[in-house]
Amino acid sequence: MYFVRTAGERDLEKIRAVLVESFHATYDRFYGGPKVDELIAHLFSPAALKARLAKKNAEFVVADSGKDIGAVGYAAMSADLAKTAILHLLYVRPALQRQGIGRDMFAELETCFPDAEIMRLEVEPKNEDAIGFYSRLGFIEAGRNENVGPGQSGIATLVLEKHLPAH
């Protein structure tokens, strides 16, 4: 049984472990292990994760069983888009997927931004499992981004959006 709670600094090592495992399980087939290692080093360094914990207008949550962390979620209000929260991370350990943990994590995150009217995210266009998951949560396709990540990565994403209920 996992419960969703706000992440703290003491969780960072376990958060990084969830992200490394989930990122490899998700993206190795698309980009290969070395490219995924490069992305992990850039996106999930201890300093990068610590900075996310401290960010204002953001929420960093974990699914905690009391023994381990099974999932990680992070969203923040957009600096560029009015009344829009950006879902940056929602990863569940592969062995725990399809048990409702991701849905519970998202349900918590979508309530954390009372001024947001839209939740937006980007997803790998070939990641059919994630696209299906987000579609079931009410997201629809809103565009594409052809070059995300560090430098000129060449990594494309689908942009999905969901209108949030008024609070």
Side-chain angles (χ1 to χ4, degrees), residues 1-2 8 31 66 88 99 112 119 127-128 135 141 161 167:
M1 185 74 166
Y2 286 83
Y31 310 124
H88 293 280
Q99 297 179 30
C112 292
M119 179 77 75
N127 190 347
E128 294 174 8
S135 294
E141 188 173 337
E161 290 184 347
H167 298 289

Side-chain angles (χ1 to χ4, degrees), residues 7 25 40 43 54 68 84 87 110 115 126 133 137 145 148-149 151 158:
I40 288 168
L43 297 170
D68 72 328
T84 302
L87 180 62
E110 76 177 332
D115 295 334
K126 293 181 228 131
F133 170 76
L137 292 176
N145 185 339
V148 299
L158 276 179

Side-chain angles (χ1 to χ4, degrees), residues 64-87:
D64 187 338
S65 70
K67 295 182 182 144
D68 72 328
I69 290 176
V72 174
Y74 175 78
M77 286 299 290
S78 174
D80 305 319
L81 302 168
K83 298 189 178 287
T84 302
I86 307 293
L87 180 62

Side-chain angles (χ1 to χ4, degrees), residues 46-58:
L49 292 174
K50 196 170 182 177
R52 287 184 173 175
L53 273 181
K55 188 170 171 39
K56 300 278 188 239
N57 296 317

